[in-house]
């Protein structure tokens, strides 16, 4: 397998789906998700992405912010605010985005724990195929009656949108609905929880920058972008070479072969970013590639940023004098394909 990890190569590959195709996922992700937009190209991709795209636009998200994202944030903080200490990964980050996406989809939020478990089992297919396939089947069994019910009696949620969607006058096949739902769970939860962890870790280990953000909340937006650059939650994707005579970085690539595309590498390209390993909320440089690029640019980018903004603002408002207190733990960013801290033990003076 060849790797692309320079910024210009990664940006070029992601923006050219005709030469570098997402059909590479037909041999991996599709086995466990079923038909999914991540593995589609061209018209088919656009038509399927278009079904849910409007739900993830900034304007539509404003509604979810007050109805869903802020209440879930405050409820989770309520549970530990009076204690003066918490593990933010376990008690907040891990629980927060799965509850948001489960509610947006329209499944009961009390089932969000089950979703998280199944999503993690599903994407662990690379290490345990049987467990991945079993989790995928279990999710379908759980979702099937809900999809049927929403088709008869649509509500204001994404399952209803999918259950009643048509492409060129033809109803979306059930397998495609399950494919969408199986993708949206891990895509919405596994990623945002890691972004939150990486941002909090960057700020907590650079207390001067944490103070700056606390004093001037306009700095939270560049801090989020810097966290995405510094520790991309999704480090890599892949593409299939569709043409003869293709080269990347001077290396010839055979038609039909695959290439591993490293957003994590591109984001630390020293020809684009000065001292790239440093977390710096005032950094200048080209936009990071953590959300990918081109036709498959992350559909949930606005949602991920919004969730992170609401969560960190609430923490800074409600958890006074927030600081890392490792004790016998060793918080740092872990992982290869996906990266984030596994623990963030903190102390604070609760403000209710
Ligand atoms: C916040 C951190 C997030 C990161 C770092 C992230 C990263 C990515 C990346 C790199 C891709 C492109 C993959 C490729 O081209 O092969 C992608 C696609 C996608 N993301 Fe995200 N994502 C995040 C949040 C979300 C959220 C909250 C959702 C909401 C459900 C979401 C839904 C999707 C979907 C549906 C796609 C497929 C888009 C397509 O194929 O057209 N993501 N994401």
């Amino acid at each position: 397998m060849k790797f692309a990890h320079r910024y210009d190569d990664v940006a070029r590959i992601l923006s050219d789906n005709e030469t570098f195709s997402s059909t590479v996922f037909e041999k991996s992700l599709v086995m466990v998700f079923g038909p999914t937009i991540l593995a589609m190209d061209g018209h088919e991709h656009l038509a399927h992405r278009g079904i849910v795209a409007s739900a993830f636009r900034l304007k539509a998200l404003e509604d979810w912010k007050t109805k869903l994202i802020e209440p879930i944030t405050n409820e989770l903080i309520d549970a530990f605010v009076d204690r003066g200490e918490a593990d933010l990964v376990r008690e907040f980050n891990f629980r927060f985005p799965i509850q948001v996406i489960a509610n947006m989809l329209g499944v009961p939020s009390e089932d969000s724990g089950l979703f998280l478990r199944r999503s993690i089992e599903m994407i662990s297919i690379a290490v345990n195929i049987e467990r991945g396939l079993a989790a995928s089947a279990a999710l379908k069994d759980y979702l099937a009656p809900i999809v049927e019910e929403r088709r008869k009696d649509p509500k204001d949620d994404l399952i209803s949108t999918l259950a009643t969607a048509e492409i060129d006058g033809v109803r979306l096949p059930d397998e495609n609905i399950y494919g969408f739902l199986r993708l949206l769970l891990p895509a919405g939860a596994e990623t945002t929880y890691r972004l939150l962890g990486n941002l909090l870790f960057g700020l907590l280990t650079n207390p001067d920058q944490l103070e700056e953000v606390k004093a001037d909340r306009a700095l939270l937006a560049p801090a989020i972008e810097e966290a995405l650059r510094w520790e991309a939650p999704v480090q890599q994707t892949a593409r299939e070479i569709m043409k003869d005579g293709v080269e990347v970085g001077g290396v010839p690539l055979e038609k039909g072969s695959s290439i591993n595309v490293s957003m994590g590498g591109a984001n630390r390209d020293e020809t684009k970013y000065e001292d790239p390993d440093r977390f710096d909320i005032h950094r200048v440089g080209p936009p990071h590639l953590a959300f990918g690029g081109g036709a498959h640019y992350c559909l949930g980018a606005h949602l991920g940023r919004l969730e992170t903004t609401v969560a960190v603002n609430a923490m800074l408002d409600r958890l006074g004098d927030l600081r890392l207190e490792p004790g016998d733990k060793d918080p740092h960013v872990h992982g290869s394909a996906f990266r984030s801290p596994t623990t963030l033990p903190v102390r604070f003076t609760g403000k209710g």
Side-chain angles (χ1 to χ4, degrees), residues 25 37-38 45 49 56 101 183-184 187-188 191-192 195 228 233-234 237 239 263 290-292 295-300 303-304 307:
F25 294 123
I37 56 169
L38 258 184
H45 171 250
R49 184 173 161 122
F56 292 98
I101 194 73
L183 168 67
L184 288 174
T191 50
T192 308
L195 164 58
L228 283 159
V234 181
T237 182
R239 293 292 188 260
M263 288 85 75
F291 287 126
H296 289 272
Y297 182 83
C298 176
L299 190 62
L303 174 62
E307 287 174 303

Side-chain angles (χ1 to χ4, degrees), residues 7-211:
Y7 186 98
D8 290 339
D9 293 333
V10 172
R12 176 184 142 222
I13 292 170
L14 292 174
S15 66
D16 178 2
N17 242 186
E18 278 181 25
T19 312
F20 304 97
S21 167
S22 294
T23 48
V24 67
F25 294 123
E26 275 168 10
K27 295 165 213 131
S28 53
L29 281 183
V30 173
M31 274 174 63
V32 63
F33 286 163
T36 167
I37 56 169
L38 258 184
M40 295 174 187
D41 278 336
H43 173 73
E44 186 191 25
H45 171 250
L46 265 184
H48 282 79
R49 184 173 161 122
I51 294 172
V52 294
S54 61
F56 292 98
R57 293 209 180 98
L58 265 181
K59 209 161 162 17
L61 292 175
E62 273 304 309
D63 224 24
W64 292 115
K65 182 183 171 195
T66 41
K67 266 201 326 218
L68 203 64
I69 302 175
E70 288 174 345
I72 293 175
T73 299
N74 283 316
E75 212 172 283
L76 287 170
I77 295 180
D78 286 344
F80 60 75
V81 66
D82 293 330
R83 209 191 310 140
E85 60 175 8
D87 181 345
L88 291 180
V89 172
R90 193 166 43 79
E91 299 185 63
F92 190 94
N93 304 1
F94 206 55
R95 300 175 187 201
F96 169 60
I98 189 82
Q99 288 194 26
V100 173
I101 194 73
N103 273 281
M104 284 178 73
L105 292 174
V107 296
S109 57
E110 60 267 26
D111 291 343
S112 63
L114 174 121
F115 270 134
L116 191 57
R117 266 199 312 283
R118 294 281 181 261
S119 304
I120 292 169
E121 285 168 13
M122 219 170 40
I123 57 175
S124 67
I125 188 154
V127 281
N128 190 335
I129 293 183
E130 265 152 42
R131 197 167 64 150
L133 292 176
S136 170
L139 272 175
K140 175 178 164 176
D141 290 344
Y142 173 80
L143 291 165
I146 306 181
V147 169
E148 218 26 68
E149 187 195 305
R150 295 300 148 80
R151 191 169 278 141
K152 286 193 211 113
D153 181 16
K155 296 202 163 61
D156 187 16
D157 58 39
L158 280 170
I159 295 185
S160 302
T161 307
L162 289 165
T164 54
E166 290 185 355
I167 293 181
D168 301 331
V170 179
R171 205 179 79 187
L172 196 62
D174 282 358
E175 271 317 310
N176 289 55
I177 298 180
Y178 302 131
F180 245 123
L181 295 173
R182 290 193 191 100
L183 168 67
L184 288 174
L185 288 171
E190 266 287 296
T191 50
T192 308
Y193 111 79
R194 293 180 189 276
L195 164 58
L196 249 175
N198 295 342
L199 171 63
L200 288 166
F201 182 75
L203 291 173
L204 289 164
T205 52
N206 292 276
D208 48 333
Q209 298 188 46
L210 176 66
E211 283 309 312

